[in-house]
Amino acid sequence: MNCVDTRGGPMVSLATAIASGLAPSGGLYVPEHLPQINLDDFNHAGSLAEVAEQALMPFFAGDKLAPYLPVICQQALNFDTVMRPLAAPHTQVLELFHGPTAAFKDFGARFLAACLTRLSSTDPRPITILVATSGDTGAAVAAAFHRQTNVRVVILYPEGRVAARQAHQLGCFGDNIATYRVQGSFDDCQRLVKTALNDEELRQRLRLSSANSISLGRLLPQLTYYAHAALQHWRQHRRKLSFVVPTGNLGNALAAVMARGIGFPIGQIVFATNANPVLSEYFHGADYNPKDSIATLANAMDVGAPSNFERLRWLHQGDQQLRAAFHAQAISDEEIRATIQQGQQRYGEIWCPHTATAVKVLEQIREPRDETDWAIVATAHPAKFDDVVEPLIGQEIEVPPALQAMLSRPAHATPIDADDKVFKECLMGVV
Ligand SMILES: *Cc1c(COP(=O)(O)O)cnc(C)c1O
């Protein structure tokens, strides 16, 4: 399948869209149309990788990546998603944090890495992948490429804006991964990457690429866990499953929208955000008005201008239809704290600050006697955010083994000013 550019640039193959991330016009690539699946084709698909292969086949049809799709799915989507009932009526929790870095970013990063390593290039130089991260993406991308030959990863994260364990994780790789802690915001990190990618001299010197959140190579694999969960629920109950998704850049939620769009039995999709208000204001009727991001406890969702909004708009006929199709609700830090505090007593659960936004939104929107089957999407393991969560619940959180292994390695990140010239010099020194 070909991909079109939301800003009207030329159509490209899926492989090209995945390799380039952003379209040259500055637009985003979207599949030319949404294929329709037939649920009966999934009768023998049990594991996530099997569902993924079947669900993504129409997107990859005719593409040079198509022959590799089965092995890409098996290699990248080889860890568990867990869906289990919550101690509340008609409610499930979909845990997406059982990958190597304990947040859902592993699905997209591993899939993108598996695609990129199969797209042969005539350029023999090692590829240098730049990634600006608000906390979780950088580690997922680093883990996906760690110790692979002919690849380097350069991570930029905003110092002081990520949790202590996230910072440790970002700096613990070494080898072909370089980590910089930027004296600035996530927006500064994104600017540094963008400027470097557009720098003629740098591009002659290095084969640059990026693993930013708008790549289709990250979006497509994310629709597969919604497909897998909805199928599982349909098989057991013959009922649609609705999702509340912790939302920042809208990548995770948009993947749910696409899973529903291609025909999986999904009911409502609700966007839970932190105090950054752009989406909740829009869905309550205001104009779309991107702003600077504000720092919150759910730091991976500190986004003032959700990049995937452009894709969401493209998939709908105008604002009225879009507003009618979804609901978005903003949750304050105070509410996040209270939700984490009450998690134990109300449900016997420990939530990460991001997941807590979804829990709170569901508590707010659910009517008494509502019989909708809901799934709360749990995006990160709470142990990653021990500095926020442990004081609230008054106990230590057990650390999953993969995260523990990273925390017991030494970590290093080079401090750097949020200055385009300084970053360029660092990159020139990489060769
Ligand atoms: C990235 C992230 C989010 C937000 O996902 P988007 O795709 O940017 O909307 C939510 N929770 C966690 C833990 C994350 O790392």
Side-chain angles (χ1 to χ4, degrees):
M1 179 182 292
N2 283 322
C3 297
V4 296
D5 169 356
T6 50
R7 299 196 186 163
M11 195 133 81
V12 298
S13 71
L14 179 67
T16 305
I18 288 177
S20 47
L22 203 65
S25 65
L28 305 184
Y29 288 119
V30 279
E32 181 180 12
H33 65 272
L34 286 186
Q36 291 301 307
I37 56 106
N38 179 348
L39 281 184
D40 291 337
D41 293 342
F42 289 82
N43 287 344
H44 301 288
S47 69
L48 178 67
E50 286 163 356
V51 170
E53 185 187 331
Q54 185 71 34
L56 296 181
M57 205 140 55
F59 294 99
F60 282 72
D63 194 82
K64 67 176 171 188
L65 279 171
Y68 303 110
L69 180 63
V71 66
I72 290 171
C73 291
Q74 282 154 26
Q75 212 177 55
L77 308 176
N78 65 344
F79 54 91
D80 291 335
T81 55
V82 176
M83 189 158 70
R84 54 184 182 77
L86 183 69
H90 295 283
T91 314
Q92 309 279 322
V93 181
L94 177 61
E95 292 180 351
L96 301 179
F97 50 70
H98 298 283
T101 68
F104 85 91
K105 300 296 198 300
D106 283 319
F107 293 97
R110 290 171 63 77
F111 192 91
L112 177 64
C115 289
L116 290 181
T117 51
R118 281 170 182 87
L119 290 172
S120 57
S121 162
T122 46
D123 189 336
R125 297 172 300 172
I127 186 165
T128 302
I129 295 176
L130 307 181
V131 50
T133 182
S134 62
D136 288 326
T137 297
V141 171
F145 286 106
H146 189 210
R147 294 187 178 146
Q148 283 197 26
T149 51
N150 233 24
V151 184
R152 307 162 174 285
V153 175
V154 177
I155 301 172
L156 297 166
Y157 76 85
E159 166 139 45
R161 293 276 203 116
V162 307
R165 281 185 178 163
Q166 282 179 310
H168 191 103
Q169 206 181 28
L170 288 164
C172 80
F173 292 92
D175 304 312
N176 60 330
I177 315 288
T179 306
Y180 291 96
R181 46 187 165 97
V182 176
Q183 316 298 309
S185 66
F186 172 59
D187 296 324
D188 290 320
C189 299
Q190 279 195 303
R191 192 202 66 234
L192 291 175
V193 166
K194 239 185 192 165
T195 311
L197 287 171
N198 289 326
D199 187 290
E200 215 26 67
E201 195 185 358
L202 269 177
R203 289 216 312 223
Q204 287 188 358
R205 188 84 168 259
L206 299 167
R207 192 176 141 214
L208 290 179
S209 179
S210 73
N212 50 24
S213 65
I214 43 81
S215 168
L216 261 188
R218 285 179 52 184
L219 195 58
L220 291 174
Q222 290 174 183
L223 75 82
T224 69
Y225 44 73
Y226 291 106
H228 185 245
L231 267 177
Q232 223 175 303
H233 193 74
W234 182 259
R235 281 177 188 145
Q236 279 175 16
H237 307 285
R238 294 285 142 183
R239 285 161 64 90
K240 289 185 176 178
L241 188 58
S242 295
F243 293 96
V244 189
V245 187
T247 295
N249 238 342
L250 257 171
N252 197 7
L254 187 70
V257 174
M258 287 175 64
R260 183 171 74 181
I262 64 175
F264 285 98
I266 294 172
Q268 301 174 56
I269 297 166
V270 172
F271 310 143
T273 72
N274 59 25
N276 285 276
V278 57
L279 289 176
S280 57
E281 286 177 0
Y282 172 82
F283 282 97
H284 285 98
D287 286 341
Y288 178 68
N289 183 18
K291 315 177 184 352
D292 288 343
S293 65
I294 53 174
T296 75
L297 293 175
N299 64 18
M301 293 154 54
D302 290 348
V303 178
S307 2
N308 280 297
F309 188 73
E310 194 164 325
R311 279 195 177 112
L312 190 67
R313 240 185 189 161
W314 190 87
L315 288 171
H316 294 83
Q317 274 91 46
D319 289 336
Q320 238 178 338
Q321 194 219 352
L322 180 50
R323 287 199 187 99
F326 302 100
H327 178 71
Q329 199 137 316
I331 298 300
S332 68
D333 273 0
E334 215 174 306
E335 291 171 310
I336 290 176
R337 278 196 201 93
T339 305
I340 294 171
Q341 255 164 352
Q342 292 155 5
Q344 210 50 297
Q345 181 196 1
R346 211 168 266 183
Y347 313 105
E349 299 278 346
I350 302 174
W351 308 118
C352 93
H354 311 81
T355 307
T357 65
V359 174
K360 184 67 195 173
V361 166
L362 183 56
E363 288 175 354
Q364 288 179 349
I365 63 172
R366 181 164 235 170
E367 310 273 350
R369 289 187 292 283
D370 173 10
E371 301 223 324
T372 310
D373 291 349
W374 288 100
I376 290 162
V377 177
T379 49
H381 194 288
K384 252 187 136 161
F385 303 92
D386 60 321
D387 41 8
V388 173
V389 178
E390 286 182 356
L392 291 171
I393 60 170
Q395 72 179 78
E396 251 181 68
I397 307 166
E398 203 179 317
V399 181
L403 178 58
Q404 188 54 59
M406 290 184 187
L407 295 177
S408 48
R409 298 214 290 260
H412 172 74
T414 309
I416 183 178
D417 286 334
D419 180 324
D420 296 329
K421 284 204 201 73
V422 176
F423 184 49
K424 181 173 173 178
E425 274 161 33
C426 293
L427 286 176
M428 296 294 265
V430 157
V431 246

